[in-house]
Amino acid sequence: MASETSQTVAPSATARKGELTWQQTKSQLTRNAILQAAVDCFYELGYANTTTENIANRAGVSRGAMLHHFPNRNDLIQATVRYLNQQRIEGFAREESAAQRGAEYSRIEEGIDAYWELLKSPVFIVFNELKVASRTDPELAAAVRPALIEFESAWYAAVKDVFPDLALSEAFERANYLTKFLLEGMAVARTTGGEKVPEQMMLAWLKRELRRSFQDVLGSVKRKEV
């Protein structure tokens, strides 16, 4: 009887390992599908023109399923902003790490090219549109402004992790702001189509400037394992 009792009350192997049950996994997949559908709709239709019905249809879920995960529009917006943040940080770490794989010293040129490509993605374009729209939308601002603060902290930590040798330079913080503001500004101008963006000229200049800025460590301090 003792053996039977212990088998009855003992947690399952899944619970012991902290893994999700099938139902939890299904729920998470549905939630992510809705969030990705929201990003897709914002990108294709624009934030102002996107409805929850558009998103549900794009995700292939019923209105009931949508309401189960996101009872109201504000919940959906906040979750989408967090999802965008996560996608931006994970994308940055993944692409930049791939560009630096096997390098003895950080590859400036490859790093800039990888970041520039990320800024052309729907993830950045949608987040920037939400940021602009939040200026006159209190509900959206409540979601976007805290996310901006969180992103800045997470992005700075990710940069230090991907470029450990450059992080030792006295120019590290300044160079990161220069890179971020220049490339993101170019990316925003590129989406409007109203002005010429001299990509190659500015990218070449930025790469030269960063090599000059990091000359105190670049080529003399080896990268650590990241």
Side-chain angles (χ1 to χ4, degrees):
M1 292 292 292
S3 176
E4 292 178 0
T5 302
S6 63
Q7 289 178 1
T8 300
V9 299
S12 67
T14 298
R16 285 198 302 270
K17 294 179 181 178
E19 298 174 354
L20 296 178
T21 65
W22 176 84
Q23 187 61 42
Q24 289 171 327
T25 300
K26 180 182 178 183
S27 178
Q28 186 62 56
L29 289 173
T30 300
R31 179 183 174 87
N32 286 344
I34 294 172
L35 294 175
Q36 185 58 53
V39 174
D40 293 341
C41 287
F42 290 155
Y43 180 68
E44 295 173 9
L45 306 175
Y47 171 72
N49 297 322
T50 296
T51 66
T52 53
E53 183 178 1
N54 294 145
I55 296 172
N57 290 338
R58 181 65 179 253
V61 302
S62 66
R63 179 168 176 75
M66 182 86 145
L67 292 175
H68 171 73
H69 288 279
F70 306 105
N72 55 62
R73 179 179 170 83
N74 187 50
D75 290 334
L76 176 60
I77 295 301
Q78 291 190 4
T80 301
V81 170
R82 289 193 297 270
Y83 179 77
L84 284 166
N85 258 3
Q86 179 184 0
Q87 294 297 304
R88 292 179 69 194
I89 292 297
E90 290 180 353
F92 176 85
R94 180 180 62 253
E95 298 303 321
E96 290 291 356
S97 294
Q100 303 302 320
R101 188 170 296 123
E104 187 174 15
Y105 306 104
S106 285
R107 297 166 176 151
I108 296 290
E109 290 78 10
E110 289 86 344
I112 292 300
D113 289 339
Y115 188 33
W116 179 236
E117 288 303 312
L118 285 171
L119 294 178
K120 297 177 183 178
S121 72
V123 169
F124 171 77
I125 294 171
V126 169
F127 192 89
N128 185 70
E129 181 173 341
L130 294 179
K131 182 169 65 174
V132 173
S134 71
R135 187 182 72 83
T136 55
D137 186 326
E139 181 181 75
L140 183 58
V144 169
R145 289 171 186 170
L148 285 171
I149 296 173
E150 292 174 7
F151 177 80
E152 289 301 317
S153 177
W155 181 77
Y156 193 74
V159 174
K160 292 179 68 175
D161 191 46
V162 173
F163 302 102
D165 51 339
L166 304 186
L168 299 175
S169 172
E170 62 180 26
F172 184 69
E173 184 174 6
R174 181 184 70 248
N176 273 287
Y177 279 124
L178 170 64
T179 301
K180 182 175 184 296
F181 292 144
L182 175 61
L183 293 188
E184 290 192 4
M186 287 170 56
V188 170
R190 188 174 178 276
T191 63
T192 64
E195 55 186 301
K196 179 181 178 181
V197 180
E199 293 183 23
Q200 296 309 312
M201 180 181 72
M202 296 309 298
L203 291 176
W205 175 84
L206 178 60
K207 292 170 183 177
R208 291 195 301 270
E209 180 61 24
L210 291 181
R211 280 202 164 274
R212 187 192 67 77
S213 296
F214 289 128
Q215 61 185 344
D216 58 334
V217 296
L218 195 61
S220 58
V221 177
K222 294 184 179 181
R223 290 172 53 82
K224 300 176 183 177
E225 290 296 326
V226 296

